[in-house]
Amino acid sequence: MAEIIEENKILNPWLACLPTMAAAFMFVLDETIANVALPHMAGSFSVSREESMWILTFYLIASGIVIPMVGWFSKALGRKNFFILSIILFTVASGLCGISENLETMIFARILQGIGGGGLLPISQAILLENFKPQDRGKAMAMFGLVIVMAPIIGPVLGGWITENWSWPFIYFINIPIGIIAVILSNALIYDPPYAQKQKGVKTDGFGFLMLSIWLLTLQIVLDKGNNADWFHAAWICWLSGISCITGVAFLISQIKNKESLVDLSVFKDKNFLIGTLVQIVMQAVLLASLAILPQFLQALMGYDAYKSGLSMMPRGLGALLAMVMCATLANLIDNRLLVMIGLGCIAGGSWMLGELNLQISTMNIAIPNFLFGVGLGLAMIPIITLSVATLRNDQMTNASGLQNLLKNIGGAFGTSIVATLLSRGAQKHQFMLIQHLTDTAHTYSERIQAYSSMFMTTVDPHTARYMGESVAYKLLMQQANLAAFIDAFRIFAIAAAVIIPLILLLKNLKEA
């Protein structure tokens, strides 16, 4: 049987794409499919908007922590066995997410889902590269890249449609049939070469893994809970911050000194890898943070339902698709660094346009910036990945890929956490600034209160009408304060994308590598 499978692998390597693409798509899709359903989940769990963000961030952190251990698990269990086990855990955890009745249970299920999903991308990528001849690997990776770029953008659209037509638990239940099919196909179509089969006496850096886990989990809790706890005015935030710093330093020291370290940090001596990874971290933070808050803006302030707010993300996907076609056409004709710079410029431009929004916008005011953002993402993503590893040796690729994916996941989680704090603090800041103009001595304010009160005088007494008029004014104040906070966040995204553009000039081009 093994010989038949190996022969099929050689004759038709596209067969192995079926389970790997399904697993990769399922994992990446779940990074964003919950975004538009967060208000519904927050209502179901009776938590705030900030707290509902934990559903996104702990998934990213959990999957990131597992990535450095993928090599060890693949050797200890066999790569195919570990891949199938990961899909099973991800699928079971998806079911647990769907039946969660409180935020704590949901976070636990999302952590399990992240642990199951952490190995899916690296293993899928490795299997694809192995099953194709060198001259055909470009086609396979182009398809893989399309999945990685499109899945996070399709997520909000699909999540919105499911939430409005069924209910939010089904955004997780849909993973169950996909996971079952992926397990069956993986068992039938994936073949482990000798070096990827189960090995005995495999060692790992247990101390490094423990320090990494404690470091990232404590840091994520600080970022997620810090704003609600008033940051360092809370003793437990100070303690967790101290633990995070100590374990972070201990992890870095152990990786430098340990010969059998979890990750090989020496790849950061390569300038292309260092700069390329930094650029990808910022891009991932901007991408996932923007995908998290834009649906919330549309639902909370514009009155969109979950499906319509998810559908507003579709132009971003169309832009990314168009850009990837352009990128494939132009990659060998112009400098890849120029493509990345143009892409980052488009991301900055699209984000700045979103920073010009108001509460009287049309659908096109959302579609055009999103399309531009998507074009930028498609132009920058694949070339920067290629440039970042262009000067590495082949034997460094596996470690570099795992380390890069780990840092991108951390960047996405931190970006999502930080933007939640920015929105909360920004709304408070703008409310304080605006409320100074709402006094009885302000002529415009007095006229507005009189106009609002007169609307209610036909049904209630003047005193109650005045109170109701002031309530209308306060609601408008809160709307404008929240709008200003969203605007600040989008402008910060634009600045972050623009600031890293000069770094691209420091990269070596593919022809120079």
Side-chain angles (χ1 to χ4, degrees):
M1 183 64 180
E3 290 79 4
I4 296 173
I5 294 174
E6 185 175 10
E7 185 180 353
N8 286 339
K9 176 182 81 74
I10 296 172
L11 293 177
N12 192 0
W14 292 103
L15 284 175
C17 288
L18 297 176
T20 55
M21 288 295 183
F25 183 82
M26 185 171 60
F27 168 71
V28 180
L29 185 75
D30 270 49
E31 290 181 350
T32 60
I33 195 171
N35 289 8
V36 295
L38 284 182
H40 295 261
M41 295 184 193
S44 298
F45 301 147
S46 299
V47 297
S48 66
R49 179 180 66 193
E50 276 185 291
E51 290 173 315
S52 68
M53 289 276 201
W54 304 346
I55 297 170
L56 307 180
T57 56
F58 276 97
Y59 173 75
L60 293 170
I61 285 295
S63 60
I65 290 173
V66 172
I67 288 174
M69 293 293 292
V70 168
W72 181 81
F73 280 120
S74 296
K75 292 176 182 177
L77 302 175
R79 189 175 65 188
K80 176 180 176 179
N81 294 335
F82 175 57
F83 186 66
I84 292 174
L85 183 63
S86 295
I87 298 174
I88 292 172
L89 180 58
F90 186 92
T91 305
V92 172
S94 297
L96 293 177
C97 288
I99 62 175
S100 296
E101 296 183 350
N102 54 59
L103 184 63
E104 292 77 15
T105 307
M106 171 60 82
I107 290 175
F108 174 74
R110 286 286 276 177
I111 289 174
L112 285 181
Q113 199 183 32
I115 292 172
L120 297 182
L121 279 185
I123 294 178
S124 295
Q125 187 172 346
I127 291 173
L128 281 176
L129 288 173
E130 288 174 3
N131 279 272
F132 285 87
K133 297 177 181 178
Q135 61 268 29
D136 295 325
R137 286 175 182 172
K139 297 177 183 178
M141 292 313 298
M143 181 178 290
F144 188 74
L146 185 64
V147 169
I148 301 307
V149 172
M150 293 299 294
I153 298 170
I154 293 172
V157 182
L158 182 60
W161 186 86
I162 292 173
T163 302
E164 287 300 318
N165 288 276
W166 296 334
S167 61
W168 69 259
F170 283 91
I171 66 178
Y172 297 108
F173 290 151
I174 63 169
N175 288 333
I176 296 175
I178 299 175
I180 293 172
I181 293 171
V183 168
I184 294 172
L185 291 177
S186 297
N187 188 56
L189 300 176
I190 292 179
Y191 167 76
D192 267 351
Y195 57 82
Q197 293 175 4
K198 184 177 179 179
Q199 302 176 20
K200 295 181 179 180
V202 182
K203 296 181 180 180
T204 187
D205 181 9
F207 177 79
F209 179 69
L210 178 63
M211 291 298 101
L212 175 67
S213 301
I214 297 174
W215 171 36
L216 294 181
L217 284 174
T218 51
L219 182 57
Q220 190 61 48
I221 292 171
V222 168
L223 291 173
D224 283 340
K225 295 284 286 183
N227 188 56
N228 290 342
D230 201 19
W231 292 106
F232 296 107
H233 289 91
W236 69 272
I237 289 289
C238 296
W239 277 104
L240 277 185
S241 299
I243 293 171
S244 181
C245 290
I246 292 171
T247 52
V249 172
F251 170 72
L252 293 175
I253 292 174
S254 70
Q255 299 311 289
I256 293 172
K257 292 189 173 182
N258 194 344
K259 293 182 179 179
E260 296 181 354
S261 59
L262 198 63
V263 292
D264 181 9
L265 300 180
S266 65
V267 289
F268 283 118
K269 295 178 181 179
D270 186 283
K271 185 173 67 173
N272 263 39
F273 183 76
L274 175 62
I275 295 174
T277 301
L278 177 61
V279 170
Q280 289 181 67
I281 291 171
V282 175
M283 286 177 60
Q284 188 79 348
V286 170
L287 170 63
L288 294 185
S290 65
L291 286 173
I293 69 169
L294 185 55
Q296 293 191 37
F297 165 77
L298 296 173
Q299 291 181 59
L301 298 182
M302 298 299 299
Y304 284 29
D305 58 28
Y307 174 62
K308 192 175 180 182
S309 64
L311 195 62
S312 67
M313 299 291 105
M314 184 60 76
R316 188 175 293 198
L318 296 176
L321 186 60
L322 173 64
M324 293 191 74
V325 174
M326 294 169 55
C327 193
T329 306
L330 299 173
N332 296 324
L333 300 177
I334 64 175
D335 194 329
N336 277 25
R337 293 173 297 182
L338 181 59
L339 286 176
V340 178
M341 293 173 71
I342 294 173
L344 290 173
C346 290
I347 292 173
S351 299
W352 192 265
M353 290 174 69
L354 289 173
E356 299 292 326
L357 299 177
N358 57 59
L359 300 182
Q360 287 77 44
I361 57 171
S362 67
T363 305
M364 290 303 294
N365 294 107
I366 299 294
I368 294 174
N370 263 327
F371 182 80
L372 186 60
F373 194 110
V375 169
L377 187 66
L379 286 177
M381 183 65 75
I382 302 303
I384 191 61
I385 292 175
T386 305
L387 286 167
S388 67
V389 297
T391 52
L392 293 179
R393 302 188 309 272
N394 286 340
D395 61 326
Q396 295 177 302
M397 290 295 185
T398 301
N399 171 71
S401 176
L403 188 56
Q404 198 170 78
N405 280 300
L406 166 65
L407 294 174
K408 284 166 64 177
N409 273 36
I410 294 172
F414 288 1
T416 304
S417 295
I418 291 169
V419 79
T421 299
L422 288 175
L423 291 179
S424 176
R425 289 296 176 110
Q428 294 174 10
K429 179 189 73 174
H430 288 289
Q431 181 184 352
F432 175 77
M433 294 170 62
L434 291 171
I435 205 168
Q436 298 180 55
H437 302 285
L438 305 187
T439 62
D440 290 332
T441 57
H443 181 68
T444 304
Y445 174 70
S446 298
E447 284 186 344
R448 287 292 181 93
I449 292 296
Q450 185 62 39
Y452 296 148
S453 301
S454 63
M455 295 188 301
F456 302 109
M457 283 188 180
T458 56
T459 55
V460 297
D461 61 88
H463 178 73
T464 304
R466 169 84 181 185
Y467 174 77
M468 295 173 72
E470 289 176 343
S471 297
V472 172
Y474 179 73
K475 181 179 179 181
L476 292 173
L477 167 70
M478 294 303 298
Q479 281 184 334
Q480 292 300 317
N482 280 288
L483 172 64
F486 278 105
I487 287 173
D488 289 345
F490 288 126
R491 288 178 176 174
I492 289 172
F493 297 158
I495 293 170
V499 164
I500 59 175
I501 291 178
L503 293 177
I504 307 303
L505 297 173
L506 301 177
L507 295 172
K508 289 184 179 179
N509 193 21
L510 295 178
K511 295 179 180 179
E512 302 171 350

Tab-separated table of all heavy atoms in Angstrom, residues 388-411:
chain	number	residue	atom	x	y	z
A	388	SER	N	12.738	37.657	2.027
A	388	SER	CA	13.229	37.451	3.399
A	388	SER	C	14.087	36.191	3.518
A	388	SER	O	14.949	36.111	4.398
A	388	SER	CB	12.054	37.379	4.378
A	388	SER	OG	11.264	36.229	4.155
A	389	VAL	N	13.870	35.205	2.641
A	389	VAL	CA	14.655	33.957	2.713
A	389	VAL	C	15.604	33.808	1.531
A	389	VAL	O	16.230	32.759	1.363
A	389	VAL	CB	13.712	32.726	2.792
A	389	VAL	CG1	12.877	32.775	4.058
A	389	VAL	CG2	12.812	32.634	1.563
A	390	ALA	N	15.727	34.863	0.732
A	390	ALA	CA	16.519	34.771	-0.503
A	390	ALA	C	17.989	34.506	-0.236
A	390	ALA	O	18.674	33.874	-1.047
A	390	ALA	CB	16.352	36.049	-1.317
A	391	THR	N	18.518	34.988	0.890
A	391	THR	CA	19.956	34.853	1.164
A	391	THR	C	20.257	33.772	2.197
A	391	THR	O	21.377	33.683	2.691
A	391	THR	CB	20.508	36.209	1.661
A	391	THR	OG1	19.695	36.688	2.744
A	391	THR	CG2	20.488	37.237	0.546
A	392	LEU	N	19.263	32.950	2.543
A	392	LEU	CA	19.474	31.847	3.488
A	392	LEU	C	19.868	30.575	2.746
A	392	LEU	O	19.512	30.376	1.593
A	392	LEU	CB	18.196	31.582	4.293
A	392	LEU	CG	17.740	32.673	5.266
A	392	LEU	CD1	16.446	32.250	5.940
A	392	LEU	CD2	18.805	32.971	6.311
A	393	ARG	N	20.598	29.703	3.454
A	393	ARG	CA	20.939	28.391	2.898
A	393	ARG	C	19.711	27.476	2.983
A	393	ARG	O	18.804	27.702	3.797
A	393	ARG	CB	22.099	27.762	3.676
A	393	ARG	CG	23.369	28.586	3.697
A	393	ARG	CD	24.508	27.775	4.326
A	393	ARG	NE	24.131	27.195	5.614
A	393	ARG	CZ	24.271	27.819	6.789
A	393	ARG	NH1	24.754	29.067	6.830
A	393	ARG	NH2	23.929	27.213	7.906
A	394	ASN	N	19.704	26.439	2.174
A	394	ASN	CA	18.576	25.502	2.171
A	394	ASN	C	18.371	24.844	3.532
A	394	ASN	O	17.240	24.597	3.955
A	394	ASN	CB	18.773	24.425	1.101
A	394	ASN	CG	18.543	24.969	-0.298
A	394	ASN	OD1	17.905	25.994	-0.470
A	394	ASN	ND2	19.073	24.276	-1.295
A	395	ASP	N	19.478	24.545	4.233
A	395	ASP	CA	19.355	23.867	5.520
A	395	ASP	C	18.824	24.796	6.622
A	395	ASP	O	18.515	24.347	7.725
A	395	ASP	CB	20.701	23.270	5.941
A	395	ASP	CG	21.772	24.341	6.112
A	395	ASP	OD1	21.757	25.331	5.370
A	395	ASP	OD2	22.626	24.177	7.002
A	396	GLN	N	18.711	26.100	6.324
A	396	GLN	CA	18.172	27.051	7.296
A	396	GLN	C	16.682	27.325	7.087
A	396	GLN	O	16.046	27.962	7.918
A	396	GLN	CB	18.930	28.390	7.198
A	396	GLN	CG	20.395	28.311	7.588
A	396	GLN	CD	21.084	29.654	7.387
A	396	GLN	OE1	21.111	30.202	6.282
A	396	GLN	NE2	21.641	30.181	8.462
A	397	MET	N	16.136	26.833	5.982
A	397	MET	CA	14.778	27.207	5.584
A	397	MET	C	13.712	26.766	6.591
A	397	MET	O	12.818	27.523	6.941
A	397	MET	CB	14.459	26.618	4.203
A	397	MET	CG	15.221	27.247	3.067
A	397	MET	SD	14.784	28.981	2.818
A	397	MET	CE	15.741	29.338	1.338
A	398	THR	N	13.812	25.514	7.055
A	398	THR	CA	12.771	24.996	7.947
A	398	THR	C	12.705	25.791	9.239
A	398	THR	O	11.631	26.217	9.677
A	398	THR	CB	13.036	23.508	8.263
A	398	THR	OG1	13.062	22.772	7.041
A	398	THR	CG2	11.935	22.958	9.158
A	399	ASN	N	13.863	26.015	9.849
A	399	ASN	CA	13.901	26.791	11.087
A	399	ASN	C	13.434	28.224	10.856
A	399	ASN	O	12.666	28.775	11.649
A	399	ASN	CB	15.331	26.791	11.649
A	399	ASN	CG	15.494	27.758	12.803
A	399	ASN	OD1	14.991	27.533	13.905
A	399	ASN	ND2	16.192	28.850	12.557
A	400	ALA	N	13.887	28.823	9.755
A	400	ALA	CA	13.520	30.203	9.456
A	400	ALA	C	12.019	30.348	9.228
A	400	ALA	O	11.390	31.297	9.711
A	400	ALA	CB	14.287	30.697	8.229
A	401	SER	N	11.431	29.395	8.510
A	401	SER	CA	9.998	29.440	8.242
A	401	SER	C	9.189	29.334	9.533
A	401	SER	O	8.231	30.083	9.755
A	401	SER	CB	9.609	28.310	7.282
A	401	SER	OG	8.221	28.280	7.075
A	402	GLY	N	9.597	28.404	10.414
A	402	GLY	CA	8.888	28.249	11.683
A	402	GLY	C	9.006	29.480	12.552
A	402	GLY	O	8.016	29.936	13.148
A	403	LEU	N	10.210	30.042	12.633
A	403	LEU	CA	10.435	31.228	13.446
A	403	LEU	C	9.657	32.423	12.905
A	403	LEU	O	9.068	33.206	13.665
A	403	LEU	CB	11.940	31.541	13.474
A	403	LEU	CG	12.422	32.636	14.423
A	403	LEU	CD1	11.996	32.342	15.847
A	403	LEU	CD2	13.936	32.776	14.337
A	404	GLN	N	9.635	32.546	11.591
A	404	GLN	CA	8.911	33.650	10.968
A	404	GLN	C	7.404	33.547	11.220
A	404	GLN	O	6.740	34.543	11.538
A	404	GLN	CB	9.208	33.668	9.471
A	404	GLN	CG	8.896	34.979	8.781
A	404	GLN	CD	9.443	35.012	7.367
A	404	GLN	OE1	8.854	34.429	6.458
A	404	GLN	NE2	10.560	35.692	7.164
A	405	ASN	N	6.851	32.341	11.086
A	405	ASN	CA	5.424	32.143	11.346
A	405	ASN	C	5.073	32.401	12.809
A	405	ASN	O	4.013	32.937	13.120
A	405	ASN	CB	5.002	30.731	10.939
A	405	ASN	CG	4.768	30.607	9.446
A	405	ASN	OD1	3.921	31.283	8.882
A	405	ASN	ND2	5.531	29.752	8.795
A	406	LEU	N	5.973	31.992	13.717
A	406	LEU	CA	5.766	32.266	15.142
A	406	LEU	C	5.657	33.767	15.391
A	406	LEU	O	4.724	34.242	16.048
A	406	LEU	CB	6.924	31.679	15.952
A	406	LEU	CG	7.062	32.152	17.405
A	406	LEU	CD1	5.864	31.699	18.225
A	406	LEU	CD2	8.367	31.642	18.020
A	407	LEU	N	6.597	34.531	14.855
A	407	LEU	CA	6.620	35.972	15.090
A	407	LEU	C	5.443	36.674	14.404
A	407	LEU	O	4.910	37.658	14.926
A	407	LEU	CB	7.949	36.551	14.605
A	407	LEU	CG	9.178	36.087	15.398
A	407	LEU	CD1	10.459	36.598	14.754
A	407	LEU	CD2	9.094	36.558	16.843
A	408	LYS	N	5.026	36.182	13.249
A	408	LYS	CA	3.856	36.762	12.582
A	408	LYS	C	2.588	36.545	13.403
A	408	LYS	O	1.739	37.432	13.520
A	408	LYS	CB	3.710	36.168	11.182
A	408	LYS	CG	4.708	36.720	10.168
A	408	LYS	CD	4.751	35.885	8.909
A	408	LYS	CE	3.451	35.902	8.162
A	408	LYS	NZ	3.525	35.148	6.891
A	409	ASN	N	2.449	35.342	13.974
A	409	ASN	CA	1.291	35.072	14.831
A	409	ASN	C	1.288	35.987	16.056
A	409	ASN	O	0.249	36.521	16.458
A	409	ASN	CB	1.297	33.608	15.275
A	409	ASN	CG	0.604	32.707	14.280
A	409	ASN	OD1	0.690	32.917	13.080
A	409	ASN	ND2	-0.077	31.689	14.764
A	410	ILE	N	2.472	36.147	16.645
A	410	ILE	CA	2.581	37.038	17.807
A	410	ILE	C	2.239	38.462	17.401
A	410	ILE	O	1.513	39.171	18.115
A	410	ILE	CB	4.009	36.968	18.396
A	410	ILE	CG1	4.276	35.578	18.965
A	410	ILE	CG2	4.196	38.026	19.474
A	410	ILE	CD1	5.712	35.356	19.380
A	411	GLY	N	2.747	38.895	16.246
A	411	GLY	CA	2.438	40.243	15.760
A	411	GLY	C	0.950	40.458	15.559
A	411	GLY	O	0.401	41.497	15.931
